């Protein structure tokens, strides 16, 4: 690869360059600023906004970057990638705003520099994961995300809960990435290439060894399944979500999951596609992805919803609920069509607001009462009606009831399933939503119908926090009624380069 | 005389299984971590074997990346194990169990 090609590719990775620069700036600023560490919050926000500006450019791009020969590159810049990059940046924006008032983060203020440096490392890794079209880059960027998040899960270090979450995350993560690496080595052995487009080209020839390819595909799926916390690779999710600082939990539940989904979409849609007929993807007969995704999605949503039923810790309950949501999105993936892909994009955009909102409310309340146990939330809906009502809106949306945005997300997945005549899966999805109603409403019962024991607790939402909360509530309500722009936007952002 | 590729693949498959069994059965966090390194190394061996068999250098490039990442992972992993040990005075993963179900 000549130096000229490298320079030619730089315009395609402007957002990544901004993120890397922000990382360095934060590390340096952390050294210089000794008194007013709060400034780091603003530097981080500025970095996110600057990167966002360049992501907007990428919606109209369609190109390979860092290609050594011909047109097969390490990176693909396309509108689907830009959509998910925008999603990751929006999630980071909100998480940075949450960090202003999180007790857990403010108590270890001396670590604020590391906190943001690692977060930027994680966002950078996600960006590369989103646009990676080469297995080397897939592996390295996944590890960048994982290594930063292992440390972030235990960043406060004081409590055992934190370090235990960090250790469990590390062990599960390292094992699944090891398994994935072995799968990649087998794929390399079969095809002699690590580029997804070249792999696709070679797999089209009939003499590939199907058994090894199936094994390799499953092994690689283990690594991706761990990132999106699909059953049976979800075991870390509840422990890490409960133990990690709540800002990190919120970030993992949205951003990490979305980066994992893009990887899954790219892996299946680029490496295993034969041709696309009326928007339905005809995959190579080598691996039966449809059945695999179907079974795993049923398993994931059922397990997530049923395990959430008897959780008393709200963070843990939201962890199982996020597993269930991964199951719904896997169902849309199992359709293997453009319509399913649109449904995933819509669902993710909505899931971002409702899930971050739910975590934000839990954070604000637990800042005050120092606990996330559901019994300690009794009667708190009346202590601050604004907080209580917004929590109710988020939970109703997570259940998927109209008139909130969650309903629209589920509706589009449902339409995609019915159009593809996958009735069994759609029925199971509806039944699962009914189950989820129980545990979401149980929280509301505690908030509004139970009497608080002891002295009433004063809950005041400060003005900046109220603004952040409104920024999350309003999209959930508005997208529930006026969703056409989002749908159109998603329809325009599904072009995956090459097919 | 060249060694056939099957020998390398059998060896790396065996190494991989040893790693997986080690992760599943051992209770000391550091031994679990060593087993994980064994899994990574088995993948490295597969890469190098295929690379030389196919006459294709991408596999060897990949191994460099894997080794770098494995070193970073070991650094982060041991730091986390020390953080747990400071809080709990043990690295036995059966006793690290305040988060469950």
């Amino acid at each position: 690869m000549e130096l000229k090609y490298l320079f030619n590719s730089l315009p395609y990775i402007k957002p990544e360059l901004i993120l890397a620069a922000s990382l360095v700036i934060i590390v340096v600023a952390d050294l210089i600023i000794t008194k007013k560490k709060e400034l780091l919050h603003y530097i981080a926000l500025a970095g996110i906004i600057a990167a966002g500006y360049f992501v907007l450019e990428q919606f109209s791009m369609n190109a390979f970057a860092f290609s050594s020969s011909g047109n097969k590159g390490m990176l693909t810049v396309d509108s689907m990638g830009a959509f998910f990059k925008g999603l990751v940046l929006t999630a980071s924006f909100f998480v940075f705003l949450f960090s202003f008032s999180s007790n857990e983060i403010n108590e270890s203020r001396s670590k604020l520099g590391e906190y943001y440096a690692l977060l930027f490392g994680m966002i950078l890794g996600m960006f590369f994961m989103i646009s990676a079209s080469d297995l080397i880059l897939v592996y390295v960027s996944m590890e960048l995300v994982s290594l930063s998040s292992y440390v972030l899960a235990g960043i406060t270090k004081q409590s055992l809960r934190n370090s235990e979450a960090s250790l469990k995350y590390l062990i599960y993560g390292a094992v699944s990435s090891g398994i994935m690496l072995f799968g990649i080595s087998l794929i390399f052995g079969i095809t002699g290439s690590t580029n997804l487009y070249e792999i696709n080209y070679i797999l089209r020839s009939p003499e590939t060894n199907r058994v090894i390819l199936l094994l390799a595909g499953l092994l690689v799926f283990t690594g991706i399944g761990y990132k999106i916390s699909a059953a049976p690779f979800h075991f870390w999710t509840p422990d890490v979500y409960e133990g990690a600082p709540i800002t990190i939990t919120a970030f993992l539940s949205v951003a990490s999951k979305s980066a994992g989904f893009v990887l899954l979409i790219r892996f299946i849609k680029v490496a295993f596609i034969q041709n696309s007929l009326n928007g339905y993807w005809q995959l190579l007969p080598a691996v039966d992805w449809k059945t695999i995704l179907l079974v795993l999605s049923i398993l994931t949503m059922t397990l997530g919803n049923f395990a959430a039923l008897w959780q008393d810790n709200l963070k843990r309950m939201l962890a199982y609920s996020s597993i269930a949501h991964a199951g719904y999105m896997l169902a849309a993936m199992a359709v293997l069509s453009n319509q399913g892909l649109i449904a995933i994009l819509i669902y993710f955009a909505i899931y971002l607001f409702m899930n971050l909102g739910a975590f934000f409310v839990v954070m604000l309340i637990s800042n005050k009462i120092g606990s996330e146990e559901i019994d300690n939330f009794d009667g708190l809906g009346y202590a601050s009606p604004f907080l209580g009502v917004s929590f109710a809106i988020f939970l109703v949306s997570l259940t998927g009831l109209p008139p909130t945005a969650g309903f629209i997300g589920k509706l589009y997945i449902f339409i995609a399933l019915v159009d593809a005549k996958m009735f069994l899966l759609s029925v199971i999805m509806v039944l699962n939503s009914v189950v989820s109603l129980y545990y979401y409403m149980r929280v509301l019962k505690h908030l509004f119908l139970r009497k608080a024991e002891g002295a009433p607790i004063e809950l005041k939402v400060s003005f900046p926090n109220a603004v952040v909360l409104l920024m999350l509530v309003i999209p959930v309500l508005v997208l529930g009624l006026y969703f056409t722009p989002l749908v159109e936007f998603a329809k325009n952002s599904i072009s995956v380069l090459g097919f | 005389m060249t060694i056939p590729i099957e020998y390398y693949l059998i060896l790396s498959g065996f190494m991989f299984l040893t790693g997986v069994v080690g992760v599943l059965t051992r209770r000391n966090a550091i031994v679990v971590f060593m087993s994980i390194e064994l899994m990574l190394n088995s993948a490295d061996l597969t890469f190098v074997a295929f690379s030389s068999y196919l006459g294709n250098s991408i596999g060897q490039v990949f191994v460099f990346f894997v080794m770098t990442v494995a070193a970073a992972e070991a650094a982060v992993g041991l730091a986390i194990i020390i953080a747990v040990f400071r809080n709990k005075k043990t690295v036995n993963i059966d006793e690290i169990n305040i988060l469950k179900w």
Side-chain angles (χ1 to χ4, degrees), chain A residues 60-96:
Chain A
S60 51
M61 278 186 193
N62 240 340
F64 286 105
F66 299 108
S67 41
S68 48
S69 59
N71 55 357
K72 316 288 197 297
M74 297 279 277
L75 278 175
T76 49
V77 182
D78 49 23
S79 61
M80 188 192 72
F83 184 92
F84 277 99
K85 282 176 186 174
L87 216 65
V88 168
L89 279 184
T90 318
S92 346
F93 180 75
F94 279 113
V95 166
F96 289 5

Side-chain angles (χ1 to χ4, degrees), chain A residues 135-136 139-140 143 147 150-151 157-161 163-168 170-171 173-179 181-182 184-186 188-194 198 219 235 239-240 242-243 310-311 316 320, chain B residues 9 12-13 16 20 23 29 32-33 36 39-40 42-44 46-47 50-51 54 56-62 65-66 69-70 72-73 76-78 80-81 83-84 86-88 91 93 96-101:
Chain A
L135 291 174
I136 298 182
Y139 175 72
V140 174
E143 285 296 311
L147 288 178
Y150 303 151
V151 182
K157 228 161 69 172
Q158 274 86 10
S159 71
L160 178 59
R161 202 171 79 149
S163 5
E164 181 179 331
S166 187
L167 180 68
K168 284 188 172 164
L170 171 81
I171 290 176
V175 170
S176 60
S177 79
I179 293 175
L181 186 67
F182 197 73
I184 293 177
S185 77
L186 291 180
F188 170 70
I190 300 169
T191 60
S193 171
T194 54
E198 281 173 23
L219 290 179
F235 293 103
D239 289 351
V240 173
E242 187 186 343
W310 51 76
Q311 298 307 324
R316 211 172 171 80
Y320 279 110
Chain B
L9 295 184
S12 75
F16 184 75
V20 172
V23 168
V32 169
F33 214 66
I36 292 168
M39 287 165 67
L40 295 182
S42 78
D44 281 358
T46 324
F47 270 121
F50 277 129
S51 179
L54 298 167
N56 180 338
S57 61
I58 301 175
Q60 297 179 21
V61 175
F62 209 135
F65 281 99
V66 175
V69 168
E73 204 167 59
V76 170
L78 290 177
I80 289 172
I81 292 175
V84 171
R86 286 211 176 123
N87 277 320
K88 182 84 181 178
V91 289
I93 46 181
I96 302 169
N97 57 3
I98 51 167
L99 302 169
K100 58 185 169 193
W101 291 114

Side-chain angles (χ1 to χ4, degrees), chain A residues 293-309:
Chain A
L293 290 171
L294 197 104
V295 170
L296 285 183
S297 102
I298 293 174
L299 196 65
T300 307
M301 61 173 98
T302 314
L303 195 144
N305 278 323
F306 277 90
L309 289 177

